Amino acid sequence: GQQLNQSPQSMFIQEGEDVSMNCTSSSIFNTWLWYKQDPGEGPVLLIALYKAGELTSNGRLTAQFGITRKDSFLNISASIPSDVGIYFCAGQLGVIYNQGGKLIFGQGTELSVKP
Amino acid sequence: GAVVSQHPSRVICKSGTSVKIECRSLDFQATTMFWYRQFPKQSLMLMATSNEGSKATYEQGVEKDKFLINHASLTLSTLTVTSAHPEDSSFYICSATTLDRAERGGYTFGSGTRLTVV
């Protein structure tokens, strides 16, 4: 089945540093989504990407949808302690009437920020 | 907008009993709801997709008789773990969407249910 390879698995950084994580897949996705999950909570959407090559920002976060539609990266600039959490990429296979609109999640990147 | 409430947030049950988890969309009518399972430090694994008024579609390897899903209304889906065993202990998360929302990547997640089977 489809798989998303997300890296790195974990990162330990100093406050103020920039962070980069990425996801690759052997499958083409219509949409790439980036989520953050805090302990004991559901994921919260950070950025949604709809078109190949699209570069989108949300505050200190920037994400890009790869040209081949098989990869995406997320950058966080000037990290702060509240950035701590697990970040997931997710690829959308198709909308609901085609393949059910399912999301396939990457393995996650656990971010730790040292003040 | 787009709030999904999941209840209970934590439940402990005895082995062999059944547990029901509710997922409600509070401010929109969710035509489609998804149920995920997440083990510690791991990804979200899709268990099933449920569309209002029809039978759920289960992912390969998920026992439909063990994980009963009901999506009887546009605002409520339930997951019942039947005859629970310790290996069913996990974090269960639902998400809800509509056709229009899904096209914009609009999947709203519940806050999850921590199930512990003793």
Side-chain angles (χ1 to χ4, degrees), chain A residues 37 42 50 92 101-102 106 110, chain B residues 38 41 43 59 102 104 107 110:
Chain A
Q37 185 180 29
Y50 308 106
Q92 182 190 40
K102 296 190 290 189
E110 186 171 12
Chain B
Q38 186 180 31
K41 304 285 188 182
S43 186
E59 294 299 301
R104 300 192 303 270
Y107 299 80

Side-chain angles (χ1 to χ4, degrees), chain A residues 33 35 37 40-43 45 48 50 88 92 94-97 100-103 105-107 110, chain B residues 32 34 36 38 41-44 46 49 59 91 93 97-99 102-105 107 109-111:
Chain A
L33 306 169
Y35 291 91
Q37 185 180 29
E41 297 287 333
L45 181 66
Y50 308 106
F88 289 99
Q92 182 190 40
V95 291
I96 288 175
Y97 52 77
K102 296 190 290 189
L103 296 182
F105 281 82
Q107 299 99 327
E110 186 171 12
Chain B
T32 302
F34 301 90
Y36 296 85
Q38 186 180 31
K41 304 285 188 182
Q42 293 191 23
S43 186
L44 283 76
L46 181 64
T49 303
E59 294 299 301
F91 193 55
I93 309 173
T97 190
T98 64
L99 178 59
E103 288 179 341
R104 300 192 303 270
Y107 299 80
F109 286 81
S111 53

